Amino acid sequence: MATERQLSRRSLLGAAGAGAAGLTASTAGTAAAATRTADVCVVGAGLAGLTAARDLVAAGTSVVVLEARDRVGGRVLNLSLANGGFTEGGGEFIGPTQDRIKALADSLGVATFATYNTGKNLLYKDGKKTPYATDGLLGSVPPIDAAGLANAAIVQATLDDLAKQIPVDAPWTAARADEWDRQTFETWLRANAVIPSAKFLFDVACTSVFSAEPRELSFLYVLFYIAAAGNASNPGTLERLTETAGGAQELRFVGGSQQVPIKLAATLGDRVVLNAPVRTITKSGSQYVVTADGTTVTARRVVVAVPPPIAARITYDPVLPAARDQLTQRLPMASVGKAIAIYDTPFWRADGLNGQVVSDSGVVSSTFDNSPPDASYGALMGFIEADEARRFDAASEAEVRAAVLKDYATYFGEKAASPSAFVLQRWNNETYTRGGPVAIAGPGVLTQYGPALRRPVGGIHWAGTETSTYWIGYMDGAVRSGERVAKEVLAAL
């Protein structure tokens, strides 16, 4: 079970069980490497750090990557199953306009397959279960009352229109940035989603996308997130964030998403050092000394590619500028867990269901069919998010399992109450992440501190999905940030 590993979103040959350990000491350096020298030291072996390292090495630069965990991938993690299979405990899906993660996966030979989306979704609201088609006039919009649907359509169109006014490289410079950053998403929704059923839809969308409640988010940050759900040729839309077909949940990776960082790290060999949490980054003349457990690296430049709240736990000498430090104090991680129940077969498919639920109650209000492409076993994945994730942070795995399976039985019948296995990943309890899928901004953060998000501090550069201009919070954003920071460092060397 994941919890037996302290709950810390394949091997290179594709063995299903290797995801729990990720890249091992046989394919990477270990913390016993002692002292090393390089042009660049990269802190963090998630997709951002590994992508930066790849591009720097390709340009002829010497690199050492220090990773705190005993695996690579960061917020991307495969969890081993007792049946010899695996499931994704962290970042999992990709979709249209997520060009950079797709290009990276293609270059590494990691294929994709369509997220199971055949059959009807389920709406569970006010104690009533309603199956509904996703290919009709309303698409995947749940069948709420007519007034709510009309209100929701207006709200969605308004959000998309406002998002078009956001410069993705500097949302704090938008003409109405101050106005939008003074209020929460909750405040804006109460004034605009005036029909309760419409408000319900956006509440669920918010927790599903951000793993945060509307009251926790700056409205400017929400508009930026929507604007970032695209690329240079395709403006971002809320629909692209929330949809399966045609949206951010359209595809999964054959072998699990952690295949991508594992194979990428393998191309770097012993440049990647595991079990090496970085403690201090000290400027010494024209160099930086990066001290990790068991390893010290001297480098000309440093790339910090971990979530902002985790980057803030490193000791810097000299201290960081106040704007950068204040920024990281104000970007907490959202709250998320994933609960996956394993069955002999994906039995819900025989009932004409695709495994996707939208619910107004329960610990799990959003689910997906996480079965493998050959359907050799069934897997129901549920997100535990925001208030519900925090409510269960201190609960035992048995308590979480009981609550989740109660929801699954409500949605899919009594068969769902008796899985053959159950795995749980609670990112809030993960030492080197402390939440997910992304660091979130409340009111006042972007306009006051946003410019410090990517601005280098001397020879220290910042990467990670939070620093991306497109697909912030997603695997694609992490890859984009790695590509951007590599160019930045090469220009400075």
Side-chain angles (χ1 to χ4, degrees):
M1 290 290 189
T3 48
E4 293 170 357
R5 296 185 296 103
Q6 297 300 307
L7 295 173
S8 42
R9 203 152 19 122
R10 292 19 325 113
S11 75
L12 302 182
L13 299 178
L23 191 74
T24 64
S26 64
T27 51
T30 68
T35 302
R36 300 175 70 166
T37 301
D39 293 322
V40 182
C41 179
V42 176
V43 180
L47 284 169
L50 293 172
T51 299
R54 173 203 64 178
D55 290 359
L56 290 166
V57 169
T61 303
S62 59
V63 177
V64 174
V65 181
L66 299 176
E67 169 55 47
R69 298 175 173 91
D70 64 354
R71 62 171 182 84
V72 300
R75 286 168 267 183
V76 179
L77 172 65
N78 286 359
L79 299 174
S80 298
L81 301 175
N83 65 6
F86 61 88
T87 192
E88 294 93 342
E92 175 176 350
F93 304 105
I94 68 169
T97 75
Q98 295 189 5
D99 314 308
R100 303 317 303 154
I101 179 64
K102 183 63 165 60
L104 173 60
D106 287 347
S107 74
L108 296 168
V110 181
T112 59
F113 68 99
T115 301
Y116 190 79
N117 199 39
T118 302
K120 294 183 177 181
N121 282 21
L122 281 177
L123 170 66
Y124 186 80
K125 189 173 185 298
D126 301 325
K128 180 182 178 182
K129 185 165 58 177
T130 306
Y132 64 97
T134 61
D135 56 359
L137 183 63
L138 298 177
S140 62
V141 178
I144 58 173
D145 57 278
L149 287 172
N151 188 197
I154 293 171
V155 170
Q156 179 168 321
T158 302
L159 288 169
D160 286 347
D161 286 343
L162 295 179
K164 291 175 183 175
Q165 302 176 37
I166 303 294
V168 292
D169 59 341
W172 46 88
T173 65
R176 298 172 64 185
D178 286 341
E179 172 193 344
W180 293 333
D181 209 27
R182 289 194 203 105
Q183 60 185 306
T184 64
F185 189 34
E186 172 72 18
T187 302
W188 188 88
L189 283 176
R190 287 187 178 184
N192 290 273
V194 294
I195 305 299
S197 56
K199 176 67 162 54
F200 153 71
L201 290 183
F202 289 99
D203 286 346
V204 172
C206 181
T207 54
S208 297
V209 170
F210 298 96
S211 296
E213 303 292 340
R215 67 175 185 275
E216 299 179 83
L217 304 172
S218 156
F219 184 50
L220 176 64
Y221 176 75
V222 170
L223 293 178
F224 167 45
Y225 217 86
I226 295 171
N231 58 21
S233 304
N234 299 275
T237 66
L238 179 61
E239 184 177 32
R240 196 175 291 124
L241 284 169
T242 58
E243 289 293 319
T244 300
Q249 290 68 233
E250 183 173 74
L251 300 173
R252 296 171 59 198
F253 288 112
V254 176
S257 51
Q258 199 186 0
Q259 278 273 37
V260 179
I262 288 173
K263 290 193 172 186
L264 179 55
T267 69
L268 298 169
D270 64 4
R271 297 179 183 91
V272 180
V273 183
L274 302 178
N275 300 304
V278 169
R279 306 301 181 183
T280 63
I281 300 175
T282 303
K283 194 173 191 305
S284 178
S286 61
Q287 307 261 45
Y288 287 85
V289 179
V290 183
T291 305
D293 290 2
T295 303
T296 298
V297 179
T298 300
R300 297 164 61 193
R301 294 272 160 170
V302 179
V303 172
V304 178
V306 298
I310 303 302
R313 298 181 185 192
I314 299 171
T315 298
Y316 300 84
D317 184 12
V319 297
L320 296 177
R324 171 68 196 184
D325 194 70
Q326 292 279 315
L327 172 72
T328 57
Q329 292 180 43
R330 289 165 169 80
L331 286 178
M333 299 301 287
S335 301
V336 68
K338 292 177 79 172
I340 304 99
I342 308 302
Y343 306 90
D344 292 339
T345 64
F347 61 86
W348 49 93
R349 297 182 183 182
D351 296 330
L353 302 175
N354 61 18
Q356 296 174 42
V357 170
V358 175
S359 175
D360 67 349
S361 58
V363 61
V364 169
S365 59
S366 175
T367 68
F368 281 87
D369 182 331
N370 253 41
S371 308
D374 63 1
S376 54
Y377 57 89
L380 277 176
M381 182 273 286
F383 287 106
I384 308 173
E385 299 177 295
D387 284 350
E388 291 299 326
R390 291 184 283 266
R391 187 162 69 91
F392 280 89
D393 279 341
S396 68
E397 179 170 343
E399 291 171 321
V400 178
R401 173 188 168 114
V404 169
L405 294 182
K406 180 180 178 182
D407 288 344
Y408 289 0
T410 296
Y411 305 148
F412 299 104
E414 282 306 310
K415 286 183 181 178
S418 302
S420 59
F422 182 87
V423 290
L424 179 66
Q425 178 68 19
R426 289 186 279 190
W427 289 98
N428 293 12
N429 296 348
E430 172 102 11
T431 301
Y432 297 111
T433 310
R434 303 317 308 261
V438 66
I440 57 175
V445 175
L446 289 180
T447 49
Q448 293 302 307
Y449 306 100
L453 189 60
R454 289 186 297 275
R455 182 189 297 150
V457 176
I460 303 174
H461 303 258
W462 313 103
T465 189
E466 287 83 5
T467 71
S468 187
T469 53
Y470 287 108
W471 287 108
I472 176 176
Y474 289 76
M475 292 184 284
D476 189 73
V479 174
R480 289 175 188 271
S481 78
E483 293 173 338
R484 184 264 307 162
V485 84
K487 294 175 183 176
E488 186 178 284
V489 170
L490 289 170
L493 285 173

